[in-house]
Amino acid sequence: MVKALYFNYLPNKSHLILIAICFLCLSGSLSSQTNHKKILAEIAGEKVTMQEFVQVFRKNNNLAETTDQASIKEYLDLYVNFRLKVKEAKVLGYDTLKSFRQELNGYRAQLAKPYMVDEEATERLIKEAWERSKEDLRASHILVRVDKEAIPADTMAAFQKAMKIWERLSNGEPFANVAAEMSEDPSARDRDAGDRIIRGNRGDLGYFTVFDMIYPFENAAYSLKINQISKPVRTEFGYHLILLTDRKPALGKILAAHILFLNSPGAAHQDSALVHQKAKMVYEKLNSGISFDELAANYSDDRSTADKGGVLQWFGANRMIPNFIEEIYKLGEPGNYSPPFQTQFGWHIVKLLDLKKPGGFNEAYAELKDKVQKNERSEVIKESLARRIKKEYGFKEKPSALNPFLTHLKNDTLEGNWTMPENVNLSKPLFSIGKKKYTQKNFRDYLVSIPKPPRPFDFQTQLMGNYHAYVEKELLNYEDRQLEKKYPEFRALMNEYHDGILLFELTDKKIWSKAVKDTTGLDKYYQEHRYDYMWGERADASVFTFLSEDNILFSKAKSLAAEKLENEEILAQVNKDNQVLMIQRKNFSKGDHELVDKVEWTYGVKETMSNDGHKALVVIHNTLEPGPKELNDARGLVTADYQNYLEKEWIKELRNKYPVKINYDLIPQIKP
C-alpha cells in the first residue's frame, strides 16, 4: 500500500531525500489537459495544481497495489503531510542554517557535473580513443626541453633548435644517431651504471596505444605514416620530433610466461655465446615435450617468476621492451612459444598464455569515458564547453582594458606581485557574459587570490595566461548559475534534495532523536501500552548439545539431569576429560529453538534429535504463563511505536497550525 512509502521509512538522510524525490519528481501528464491548472489543494498557503499532483502520483503509482479513488485520497493525505513538514522546517529557519547550505551545495556540485560538460566534444573524444585503441604504435622521439611557462625568448630558442634538428633528419641523417647526439631525453644515450653500461634507446619509445602518452604527443603520433617524421610538437615537456616506425593491430592485454637467460654485466662475447647455447638447449628440451613450467623452474634466471612457471603479470604493449613485444606479435595464438631471442637483458623464450583484445565500442564505452574525463582530454572538453557558453550568451571582451595591467605591473613580475597602484582606475569592463559585466577590478582581485608562480616568468605570457584562465573560470561559473533556469529536471532535482534534507533534519529532532533521548516519554508510553508487548507461553528450559557421539557420556548427562543436578555440576562431570557438552538455559518462546519446539513442554528430561541427526537433551524446568514484556525486552518495538505516536501527534499539531484546503470534487477527474 502507499502507506509503505512514508511510514515504514528508515531513519537515514538518503532515504528521506528519496521520499522527497518520490513526492516531487515531475513525470507524466494529466489525462485531461483542460484541468491541469485547476487548484486541487492549498497547503499552508501554497497552491497545488491538478497537474502537479498527478505528476507526483504517477511517478509513484507502482508503489500502490491499487489506483482507485481511495488510494488517490490516501496518497494525497501523505503528500499534504509531507508539504506541511517542509513548511514547518522553513518557518523554523532550517533552510538558513550554514550546515544546511553547505550540505545542499555539496549535493548540487555533484548533481551539476553531468551538465557541466560538452557532450558533443566528449563523445567525439571517446570515439577517437576507441578508434586509436585498435592499434599499437611504435615511435621514436627527440626531445628539446622547454618549460611550459618559459619566456617567449626561451620558447623560440627551443623551437629553432628543434627545427634545425628536423632539417638534419630531412636531409637523411639516421634518426637514432641524431637522437643519441641531440635528444634531451636521458634515456636516448648510453649511461654508465658503475658495473656496466646501460645502452641508450636512441629515442625508441617502443610500442604504445591510446592513453599511454600525453595527449598532444599521441595526437601527433597517430597522425603520422610509417617512417614519417613530424615537425616539432609542443607538450608540457618541450618540443618533440616524432618518427613513427610501426603500427600494428592492438594486442590488448597480454598474459605470457618467459624463461630468461641473463647476460652477466660486462660479459665477454664468448660468455654471451655460452648463454645463447644454454637457451638453445632448453628450447630443444621444450620441443621434446618437457613442460614450460618445469623448464622455467629449473633454468630461468628470473627468480621472481621461475617458481610460477615463468608467468608474468598481465601487461600491455607499452610495458615491455620492443623486441619482447615483437616476439609476442609473432606468436599469434595462446599456447605458442618462441625460439630463443635476444634483448639487452639476455636471451628469452616466451610463451603466450592469453590475450584480451580491445572490446567493442559499447563494451569499452564506460572505461573510455572515464579515462577521457580524467586525462588531458578533460581540458579539451572544458575549452569546448567554454566556447559553447561564449556563443550561447553572447560573450564580448575588450582586450584594450588589459592595458593598465601591462603598464603598471611590469616591474613586479619576478616576484609575482599583482598589486596595482592605488590611483589606477579599474572600473572599466574587461568582458561580459550575458548581461553580467566583469571589470578590471574583478580581474585584479582574481590575480591577487591565485598562488604566485614558482619561478621567474615572462610577464605578458603569464598575464595573458591568467586572463584566459579567469575568463574560462567565470564562463563555467556563469553556466553553473543558469542550470536551474535552463534545465527543469535539474531544478526539480535540487528542490527534491532541498526538501529532503530539511525533512531529515526536522524529523530527526521531532521524532527519531526524541524517541531515543526522551526516556521519560518512552517509559510513559510503555506503561500506557505495556499489554501491547506480551510474551506468549514460555518454557524455562536447558538445551544439552553434544559435540561427540559418545553414548556413555550422553547417558551420564541424562542421568545427572534426571537427578536434578545444577547445569554447572553436570558440565564439570561430563566435560572432565574433554569438552563434549554445551548447555544453554533460558526462557524460550515458540520458535526460539528447534529442539525446544520438538519436545512436549512438561516438566522433566526429554531426549530428542537435532535436524542433523545428533542426539540431544531438553530439560523443561518450568512453564511460564503469558504476560507483558519488560521495557528492556521490547525496547526496539516500543521505540518504533513511540516514533509512530510522535509522528501522528506532530501531524495533528501541523494540521492545526497550518490551513489545508482540498478540492475533493476534482479527485474523480484524476485518471491514473
Side-chain angles (χ1 to χ4, degrees):
M1 294 295 293
V2 289
K3 288 182 179 178
L5 173 68
Y6 190 70
F7 291 113
N8 294 336
Y9 52 73
L10 296 173
N12 64 72
K13 188 167 296 187
S14 62
H15 193 83
L16 257 294
I17 292 173
L18 287 175
I19 290 172
I21 290 173
C22 286
F23 278 124
L24 294 174
C25 276
L26 301 180
S27 64
S29 60
L30 197 60
S31 57
S32 174
Q33 291 299 319
T34 58
N35 293 325
H36 76 285
K37 292 184 178 180
K38 290 185 177 180
I39 304 302
L40 175 65
E42 189 170 339
I43 307 168
E46 298 178 1
K47 294 178 180 179
V48 179
T49 66
M50 286 273 284
Q51 183 186 39
E52 290 170 336
F53 177 73
V54 169
Q55 288 169 338
V56 173
F57 183 81
R58 285 184 172 168
K59 177 67 178 178
N60 302 283
N61 194 36
N62 61 318
L63 300 177
E65 295 175 359
T66 61
T67 54
D68 56 16
Q69 298 299 306
S71 65
I72 293 174
K73 290 180 180 178
E74 184 179 10
Y75 195 91
L76 178 58
D77 194 52
L78 294 176
Y79 180 71
V80 169
N81 293 343
F82 169 77
R83 298 303 328 162
L84 288 174
K85 292 176 183 179
V86 172
K87 175 70 174 182
E88 178 74 349
K90 291 178 180 178
V91 169
L92 294 175
Y94 277 60
D95 56 343
T96 65
L97 297 176
K98 182 180 179 181
S99 58
F100 169 81
R101 302 309 309 175
Q102 287 177 337
E103 184 169 5
L104 184 62
N105 289 338
Y107 280 117
R108 190 187 184 283
Q110 293 299 315
L111 295 171
K113 284 182 179 180
Y115 296 88
M116 296 300 293
V117 295
D118 188 313
E119 290 293 343
E120 184 177 338
T122 302
E123 290 300 313
R124 175 176 56 79
L125 290 168
I126 292 171
K127 290 176 182 176
E128 175 191 79
W130 180 64
E131 290 295 335
R132 291 178 179 179
S133 73
K134 299 175 184 178
E135 284 190 305
D136 292 335
L137 305 188
R138 184 176 181 180
S140 298
H141 83 138
I142 296 171
L143 172 65
V144 178
R145 290 190 178 276
V146 62
D147 193 277
K148 62 181 179 180
E149 295 179 351
I151 62 175
D154 291 344
T155 301
M156 180 56 68
F159 177 75
Q160 291 173 344
K161 180 179 178 180
M163 283 303 298
K164 288 180 181 178
I165 296 172
W166 183 81
E167 290 171 3
R168 290 176 59 181
L169 297 170
S170 298
N171 290 330
E173 289 192 52
F175 195 98
N177 294 348
V178 178
E181 176 191 348
M182 300 298 298
S183 182
E184 295 174 20
D185 179 349
S187 67
R189 286 179 291 282
D190 295 347
R191 288 157 288 163
D192 187 352
D195 59 341
R196 63 193 177 102
I197 297 297
I198 299 177
R199 182 172 172 77
N201 61 23
R202 279 26 181 194
D204 187 359
L205 298 171
Y207 286 92
F208 57 90
T209 188
V210 65
F211 301 118
D212 288 338
M213 300 293 185
I214 55 177
Y215 189 51
F217 189 101
E218 178 193 307
N219 276 337
Y222 272 93
S223 69
L224 295 173
K225 298 177 181 178
I226 294 178
N227 295 325
Q228 183 182 359
I229 300 172
S230 73
K231 288 284 186 69
V233 177
R234 182 68 190 269
T235 75
E236 60 188 86
F237 301 106
Y239 287 102
H240 305 256
L241 297 164
I242 305 170
L243 167 65
L244 185 68
T245 57
D246 196 10
R247 62 195 316 156
K248 296 180 181 292
L251 279 172
K253 295 299 181 183
I254 306 154
L255 183 65
H258 79 143
I259 302 171
L260 171 64
F261 307 92
L262 198 61
N263 280 338
S264 300
H269 177 74
Q270 184 177 1
D271 293 333
S272 297
L274 290 174
V275 174
H276 186 198
Q277 288 299 320
K278 181 180 178 183
K280 289 196 292 185
M281 178 269 294
V282 172
Y283 181 65
E284 291 172 1
K285 288 179 178 289
L286 186 59
N287 286 334
S288 71
I290 300 177
S291 74
F292 197 97
D293 292 5
E294 181 180 342
L295 293 172
N298 291 331
Y299 293 102
S300 182
D301 291 327
D302 181 358
R303 302 318 301 171
S304 65
T305 64
D307 293 338
K308 304 171 186 175
V311 179
L312 302 161
Q313 293 183 346
W314 285 91
F315 59 90
N318 68 316
R319 303 302 297 174
M320 292 291 181
I321 54 177
N323 352 21
F324 197 95
I325 294 298
E326 289 280 6
E327 295 298 326
I328 295 288
Y329 277 115
K330 294 176 185 176
L331 293 177
E333 297 295 328
N336 294 338
Y337 55 86
S338 72
F341 63 92
Q342 190 175 23
T343 71
Q344 68 229 51
F345 302 107
W347 289 83
H348 307 255
I349 300 172
V350 61
K351 181 179 181 180
L352 182 59
L353 301 177
D354 198 3
L355 278 177
K356 291 181 180 177
K357 291 284 187 179
F361 182 71
N362 291 336
E363 180 184 350
Y365 182 86
E367 182 180 359
L368 290 174
K369 184 175 183 179
D370 183 64
K371 288 182 176 180
V372 161
Q373 292 177 334
K374 287 182 178 178
N375 81 342
E376 307 100 309
R377 288 166 170 83
S378 64
E379 291 301 315
V380 176
I381 297 171
K382 190 184 295 184
E383 290 167 6
S384 179
L385 176 62
R387 287 193 297 271
R388 192 200 79 195
I389 297 169
K390 284 183 178 181
K391 183 177 180 181
E392 183 176 351
Y393 299 109
F395 173 82
K396 297 177 183 178
E397 61 182 335
K398 297 181 179 179
S400 61
L402 285 170
N403 289 339
F405 298 92
L406 295 168
T407 302
H408 295 287
L409 291 177
K410 288 182 179 178
N411 295 333
D412 292 324
T413 56
L414 296 182
E415 290 76 30
N417 186 351
W418 298 109
T419 304
M420 296 285 285
E422 292 293 332
N423 61 345
V424 177
N425 185 348
L426 296 176
S427 61
K428 292 182 179 180
L430 272 173
F431 58 90
S432 63
I433 308 172
K435 295 181 180 180
K436 183 172 177 57
K437 295 181 179 180
Y438 298 81
T439 66
Q440 296 162 320
K441 182 179 182 303
N442 296 142
F443 180 46
R444 192 277 310 273
D445 293 342
Y446 169 76
L447 291 174
V448 172
S449 71
I450 61 178
K452 293 180 181 179
R455 62 184 70 85
F457 58 89
D458 175 71
F459 163 71
Q460 188 166 345
T461 300
Q462 187 73 21
L463 178 68
M464 295 309 298
N466 287 333
Y467 171 70
H468 291 307
Y470 175 61
V471 169
E472 184 177 271
K473 171 178 174 289
E474 293 304 332
L475 285 167
L476 297 178
N477 286 342
Y478 189 88
E479 174 70 358
D480 183 75
R481 291 192 295 271
Q482 309 310 308
L483 294 181
E484 281 83 356
K485 298 176 185 176
K486 288 179 65 175
Y487 303 105
E489 71 277 9
F490 181 79
R491 181 174 64 251
L493 198 57
M494 284 307 302
N495 287 337
E496 292 153 16
Y497 274 84
H498 176 280
D499 291 353
I501 298 170
L502 285 180
L503 187 61
F504 175 88
E505 297 298 340
L506 189 55
T507 304
D508 182 55
K509 179 180 179 181
K510 298 287 291 185
I511 297 175
W512 299 326
S513 292
K514 182 175 181 179
V516 174
K517 297 176 182 178
D518 181 15
T519 55
T520 301
L522 183 67
D523 184 68
K524 182 175 182 293
Y525 179 84
Y526 163 74
Q527 295 298 336
E528 293 172 353
H529 300 85
R530 62 196 309 263
Y531 288 100
D532 293 339
Y533 310 100
M534 297 287 289
W535 291 112
E537 184 183 13
R538 290 175 294 159
D540 174 9
S542 295
V543 179
F544 288 47
T545 304
F546 293 85
L547 305 179
S548 77
E549 297 295 332
D550 191 322
N551 290 327
I552 295 176
L553 291 176
F554 179 84
S555 298
K556 182 176 182 179
K558 183 177 180 181
S559 176
L560 294 172
E563 295 176 11
K564 303 180 183 179
L565 268 66
E566 295 292 332
N567 288 341
E568 291 76 10
E569 179 61 26
I570 296 173
L571 287 169
Q573 293 193 37
V574 175
N575 291 339
K576 185 175 182 181
D577 297 320
N578 294 298
Q579 183 171 338
V580 297
L581 173 63
M582 293 188 301
I583 302 177
Q584 178 189 15
R585 180 173 181 176
K586 60 174 286 190
N587 294 332
F588 293 93
S589 297
K590 288 292 184 182
D592 284 352
H593 200 291
E594 58 165 318
L595 296 178
V596 179
D597 289 348
K598 285 184 176 183
V599 302
E600 186 180 353
W601 285 11
T602 57
Y603 180 81
V605 180
K606 319 289 182 178
E607 185 174 333
T608 186
M609 193 80 70
S610 65
N611 287 339
D612 57 8
H614 295 296
K615 291 194 294 185
L617 295 173
V618 175
V619 180
I620 304 297
H621 304 287
N622 194 12
T623 56
L624 306 174
E625 294 297 322
K629 297 179 180 179
E630 295 298 325
L631 176 57
N632 284 339
D633 294 324
R635 185 171 295 275
L637 288 172
V638 176
T639 301
D641 289 345
Y642 186 45
Q643 288 176 339
N644 289 335
Y645 167 77
L646 293 174
E647 169 98 9
K648 292 175 183 177
E649 293 299 306
W650 185 28
I651 293 298
K652 290 179 185 177
E653 178 187 330
L654 294 176
R655 293 267 184 165
N656 289 329
K657 182 175 182 179
Y658 299 108
V660 175
K661 298 177 182 178
I662 307 293
N663 188 351
Y664 288 102
D665 292 339
L666 291 177
I667 291 179
Q669 299 179 33
I670 298 175
K671 306 295 183 184

